[in-house]
Amino acid sequence: MTHPAEAPWHKTACILCENNCGIQIQLDGRRFAKIRGDKQHVLTDGYTCNKALRLDHYQNGGIRLTTPLRREADGSFTPIDWDTAIREIAARLKTVRDTHGGKSIFYYGGGGQGNHLGGAYSGALMRALGAGYRSNALAQEKTGEGWVDAHLTGGHTAGEFEHAEVALFIGKNPWQTHGVPRARTVLKEIAKDPSRTMIVIDPVRTESADLADIHLQLRPGTDAWCLSGILGVLVQEDLIDHTFLNTRTTQTQEVLPHLAAIDVARCAEVSGLDEDLLRTTARRIAGASSLSTYEDLGVQQGPNSTLVSYLNKLIWLLTGNFAKPGTMQPHSWSAPLAQYTTRVRRTPVTGARMLGGLVPANVIAEEILTDHPDRFHAMVIESSNPAHSLADSATFRQALAALDLVVLIDIAHTETGRLADYVLPASSQFEKWEATFFNVEFPRNNFHLRAPLLDALPGTLPEPEIYARLIRELHLVPRTHLRVLRTAARLGRTAFKLAFAALAAADKKVLGLAPYLLYETLGPTLPDGARSAAVLWGLAQRIGRAYPKAMRRAGHKSADALFDAMLAGRSGVTFTEDEYEDAWRYVPHPDHRIPLPIPELLDLLDALDTTPHVHTTDEFPIVLAAGQRRAFTANTIFRDNTWRKRDQTGALRISTHDAEQLGLADGACAQVTTRGGTAQATVEIDDRMQAGHAALPNGFGLDLPTEAGTTERTGVAMNTLTDLQWRDPIAGTPWHKHVPARIEPLPG
């Protein structure tokens, strides 16, 4: 056996946050002996944080599934073979479709932070079944912001923090949550440069706030008033960029009177901020040559979240911080993650808005627990754990029990799996070809296809193969289509492209089935068993049509050349390279000018004077942030508690003031009670928290199996405390970061 010190380094990427930093792994058998950053990675240049170095706990920690499971009438699970599982699931999906219609089959998931190729193939199965509704974690976070983007710039925008003179973080702690490539390096560079300024808006004194020049430590849930105050100063002191507004926006005069009427002093008072500091912040933003902003879950899972997104974007639009170095940028997509449109569908039962084309997570249970004829009757859940991650888990579990069929595809027997009718074991993210579609950089946008480091664990399959087997069993695709494309694939890419185009012209359903067709026909011709990467050929063709000049600037003379580069690029590949003036091409409005008014949100802004800014009561006097990111927390694909070096039980952090008032000491046991439920946690007194504000971390509360055959829970499962009704009125996003709670000491 090769000694670990002599073993080769294998290139791949971290799967714990949206940055997916390039890493290298040295193997010792199937274990990850050593992990380091990949200095040749196109985006992250060798950077990685401490969490990536613990990825062996994902690959080899916990207990993996290695055979399909079927739940019996008594709630027990029986191992079954793959052929039986596929045959039975297909038959039951067909029954649901034929009885209630394809639209009653609901899809949830699509891969979390690193597991996106499976989600690309799931669409072919769902479309072939006639399913029309889906959701995923974005519907708990980003849909309100996306809807605002759709109105304004027409698509997603991202800050270019590496070159920004002023960096503004709103409900965002990039030191722990990243989101910015090479986040900690970039933060330290900004902090060390006296000509640059970092502004953090957060009720907690976070690690990022420690580095900031200005920390607006506002009262929890008052971000809308804080941002309104900044906008009021910008307009009332005439600090806006008139040239930019006159040449690059429309209907500005419909917005400015609303901002001119803002009572800045009251905004400061409601936010608990010094008015002079609020005004100083606005003036610093206005005086900067470039500004980049980042809003995240701290506001997107709190009160007034969609309004906050609008106010944030008005700040950088009114100051002209778009489409120039160091500012906010639109970008190309390898594959759009959501629909950026102002035309909104609604859910079949509750009529909730489906922003981004996604069913809001907080209405899923209501779409099931009803006698409505259009309710959901089946769920296919992939690489997600909604029984643990969605608000009010008790009600969501009732909803799962009310479905005719629940199928889970995952690597472990999760909390959701224990409620499913079938659990199908997937290969891990390091045992298959995999990629993410979090490609949001400008001017150089990058994509990274990851090759498998290990053979798949026996008994597991990659998600594309699982979907392919279901489609085959259901006979959803004409065999003639497959014969034509297989023949063409043997003749080469040109013949294949022509055959595919002709087939798509003759049958309108072909494009919807494209991932499956590519998997079955082009896939077997790809090198090194990269069959699951076949869908990237279709994406490369789309990139070539949508961004031909940017693709060629990135060094790819054709879409097929780009596809080959994707297949070969172990450290990733730049797929488009734009110029700053190109940014305006991404704005889809007439003359590429940005319309500023969103009437519904301007009405909410005007109503702030009468909008409640306090949601606590005598019964629940403390605001609980459920899901704080910390040094040793990560998403729940770590089903192994031993990865944490600190905070091993997920402490309840409270302020010194609250600890004194409640008679709690460090290490004491406390009970947390909300309208949704109760939980117990160990107390950590933290002077970073302000009075009346407490926090529990994300990633805890999993029911992990023990050697004795039982399960054991460490820390608090947050969604035993959250509430379905605490949600944004527009996006339906949950208030996970703003849960009214009561904290009480427990004996001993």
Side-chain angles (χ1 to χ4, degrees):
M1 179 183 293
T2 302
H3 190 276
E6 302 168 356
W9 290 91
H10 302 274
K11 294 186 176 185
T12 184
C14 179
I15 56 175
L16 297 175
C17 87
E18 65 194 87
N19 286 129
N20 303 115
C21 296
I23 58 174
Q24 297 185 87
I25 295 179
Q26 197 177 66
L27 298 172
D28 179 7
R30 292 187 67 86
R31 302 205 68 84
F32 294 177
K34 293 182 180 179
I35 301 173
R36 68 186 185 191
D38 177 6
K39 293 182 179 179
Q40 296 178 323
H41 194 264
V42 289
L43 178 62
T44 53
D45 301 322
Y47 174 89
T48 186
C49 76
N50 64 297
K51 298 180 186 183
L53 306 182
R54 312 289 285 171
L55 278 168
D56 185 62
H57 291 265
Y58 160 76
Q59 175 62 36
N60 295 301
I63 297 176
R64 290 279 299 280
L65 276 176
T66 56
T67 185
L69 300 177
R70 178 181 63 212
R71 186 158 60 92
E72 307 297 348
D74 63 359
S76 64
F77 284 87
T78 300
I80 56 177
D81 61 76
W82 272 103
D83 288 344
T84 300
I86 295 297
R87 184 175 62 253
E88 292 184 1
I89 292 169
R92 292 183 65 174
L93 283 170
K94 185 176 184 298
T95 296
V96 172
R97 181 196 64 186
D98 294 347
T99 304
H100 304 288
K103 290 185 177 180
S104 71
I105 301 172
F106 178 58
Y107 173 80
Y108 188 93
Q113 302 291 4
N115 201 61
H116 287 182
L117 281 186
Y121 289 95
S122 68
L125 173 63
M126 293 296 108
R127 283 186 287 270
L129 287 168
Y133 297 96
R134 66 187 182 100
S135 191
N136 57 39
L138 290 176
Q140 291 209 99
E141 305 167 359
K142 306 294 182 184
T143 47
E145 181 187 11
W147 184 70
V148 173
D149 276 329
H151 282 83
L152 298 175
T153 57
H156 182 260
T157 52
E160 196 180 2
F161 290 92
E162 189 170 0
H163 302 119
E165 181 181 332
V166 172
L168 170 61
F169 299 108
I170 307 166
K172 173 72 175 173
N173 178 16
W175 187 266
Q176 296 295 2
T177 63
H178 292 75
V180 177
R182 303 185 309 112
R184 294 180 181 179
T185 299
V186 170
L187 291 181
K188 287 188 283 189
E189 288 173 350
I190 297 172
K192 288 190 298 185
D193 190 337
S195 67
R196 303 173 72 186
T197 299
M198 188 190 312
I199 303 167
V200 170
I201 300 177
D202 200 308
V204 180
R205 182 168 55 81
T206 63
E207 295 87 346
S208 300
D210 287 340
L211 293 170
D213 301 277
I214 299 173
H215 177 202
L216 298 179
Q217 191 170 11
L218 74 177
R219 293 191 180 106
T222 61
D223 305 85
W225 285 267
C226 174
L227 296 180
S228 296
I230 292 172
L231 284 165
V233 175
L234 292 176
V235 172
Q236 293 161 23
E237 297 187 9
D238 196 21
L239 302 175
I240 59 180
D241 186 335
H242 290 281
T243 300
F244 178 89
L245 294 173
N246 290 335
T247 59
R248 294 297 196 178
T249 72
T250 62
Q251 301 168 275
T252 306
Q253 294 307 317
E254 295 180 23
V255 174
L256 295 182
H258 297 269
L259 306 179
I262 289 171
D263 185 338
V264 176
R266 184 173 185 277
C267 287
E269 179 185 3
V270 168
S271 304
L273 298 170
D274 179 79
E275 182 183 347
D276 287 341
L277 181 60
L278 196 64
R279 291 183 178 276
T280 297
T281 302
R283 293 164 187 155
R284 180 64 185 102
I285 289 170
S289 61
S290 58
L291 165 74
S292 284
T293 77
Y294 199 130
E295 59 174 88
D296 209 1
L297 305 193
V299 291
Q300 291 173 339
Q301 293 187 337
N304 309 297
S305 60
T306 304
L307 174 61
V308 166
S309 294
Y310 182 45
L311 300 177
N312 164 34
K313 294 172 194 301
L314 284 180
I315 287 173
W316 51 259
L317 284 168
L318 291 179
T319 52
N321 283 289
F322 180 75
K324 61 181 183 179
T327 66
M328 304 301 294
Q329 311 292 350
H331 52 81
S332 59
W333 286 103
S334 60
L337 290 173
Q339 301 169 14
Y340 284 84
T341 177
T342 58
R343 298 184 300 277
V344 175
R345 294 172 59 205
R346 292 187 178 265
T347 59
V349 174
T350 66
R353 284 187 267 204
M354 294 170 52
L355 304 188
L358 301 175
V359 174
N362 273 38
V363 308
I364 294 172
E366 295 175 31
E367 297 286 329
I368 297 169
L369 295 171
T370 174
D371 294 328
H372 195 284
D374 294 329
R375 79 176 185 92
F376 299 141
H377 282 267
M379 277 186 78
V380 176
I381 304 169
E382 183 209 319
S383 303
S384 299
N385 190 5
H388 181 269
S389 63
L390 300 190
D392 188 358
S393 53
T395 299
F396 187 79
R397 288 167 184 247
Q398 293 174 19
L400 288 180
L403 291 166
D404 300 345
L405 175 65
V406 179
V407 179
L408 174 70
I409 303 169
D410 211 325
I411 70 168
H413 200 16
T414 65
E415 290 70 21
T416 302
R418 296 185 189 108
L419 302 168
D421 297 293
Y422 293 89
V423 185
L424 302 180
S427 307
S428 85
Q429 294 193 43
F430 298 105
E431 297 169 356
K432 61 193 174 190
W433 291 88
E434 196 48 275
T436 66
F437 299 130
F438 294 134
N439 316 120
V440 296
E441 293 85 41
F442 183 97
R444 294 168 59 87
N445 209 353
N446 306 289
F447 177 84
H448 186 187
L449 175 66
R450 313 191 307 268
L453 304 187
L454 302 164
D455 292 335
L457 203 63
T460 70
L461 292 174
E463 293 88 345
E465 176 62 20
I466 295 173
Y467 291 121
R469 292 188 182 193
L470 286 168
I471 290 173
R472 292 175 206 144
E473 182 67 25
L474 286 160
H475 306 292
L476 296 173
V477 175
R479 292 182 181 179
T480 54
H481 288 10
L482 296 174
R483 283 198 296 268
V484 167
L485 292 176
R486 281 174 179 148
T487 300
R490 287 193 291 269
L491 297 174
R493 296 272 182 82
T494 300
F496 185 82
K497 185 186 301 184
L498 292 171
F500 196 94
L503 203 59
D507 182 353
K508 293 182 179 179
K509 294 181 180 179
V510 162
L511 291 180
L513 296 169
Y516 170 75
L517 293 170
L518 293 171
Y519 180 80
E520 294 283 52
T521 61
L522 181 65
T525 72
L526 299 182
D528 303 317
R531 185 171 182 171
S532 295
V535 71
L536 301 181
W537 179 84
L539 296 182
Q541 304 304 313
R542 190 193 69 81
I543 291 168
R545 290 191 302 271
Y547 324 111
K549 293 181 180 179
M551 181 186 73
R552 288 194 291 271
R553 281 195 209 103
H556 314 292
K557 62 183 180 181
S558 68
D560 277 295
L562 171 59
F563 178 54
D564 288 334
M566 288 176 166
L567 291 174
R570 295 286 69 82
S571 292
V573 60
T574 298
F575 65 90
T576 54
E577 184 170 341
D578 279 303
E579 297 174 351
Y580 284 99
E581 190 59 28
D582 292 336
W584 291 101
R585 184 173 55 82
Y586 291 99
V587 178
H589 307 299
D591 298 322
H592 302 292
R593 295 177 66 167
I594 299 169
L596 292 189
I598 305 179
E600 185 174 1
L601 295 179
L602 288 173
D603 289 344
L604 290 179
L605 172 63
D606 293 343
L608 277 182
D609 282 345
T610 57
T611 299
H613 59 272
V614 175
H615 302 279
T616 53
T617 62
D618 290 341
E619 183 181 7
F620 302 115
I622 289 178
V623 172
L624 173 69
Q628 186 183 50
R629 271 59 175 168
R630 300 177 184 172
F632 284 91
T633 67
N635 54 49
T636 56
I637 63 171
F638 271 177
R639 297 188 65 82
D640 173 12
N641 289 321
T642 64
W643 81 276
R644 300 183 183 92
K645 292 185 177 180
R646 298 194 303 273
D647 194 18
Q648 294 179 349
T649 61
L652 171 69
R653 290 182 177 172
I654 63 173
S655 70
T656 303
H657 173 272
D658 290 335
E660 292 173 352
Q661 293 296 309
L662 295 168
L664 288 167
D666 257 332
C669 189
Q671 179 166 283
V672 183
T673 304
T674 69
R675 195 169 70 176
T678 62
Q680 296 181 8
T682 301
V683 168
E684 178 184 328
I685 300 173
D686 187 356
D687 65 1
R688 293 176 176 274
M689 306 296 298
Q690 59 179 284
H693 195 208
L696 283 167
N698 71 312
F700 283 85
L702 297 173
D703 296 321
L704 301 181
T706 66
E707 293 182 359
T710 59
T711 60
E712 183 177 67
R713 180 179 295 184
T714 299
V716 175
M718 297 177 301
N719 288 307
T720 60
L721 300 174
T722 55
D723 192 314
L724 286 174
Q725 301 309 312
W726 290 117
R727 57 179 126 165
D728 185 73
I730 294 174
T733 42
W735 288 16
H736 287 339
K737 301 299 186 289
H738 197 93
V739 183
R742 180 172 70 253
I743 298 173
E744 301 166 293
L746 288 173

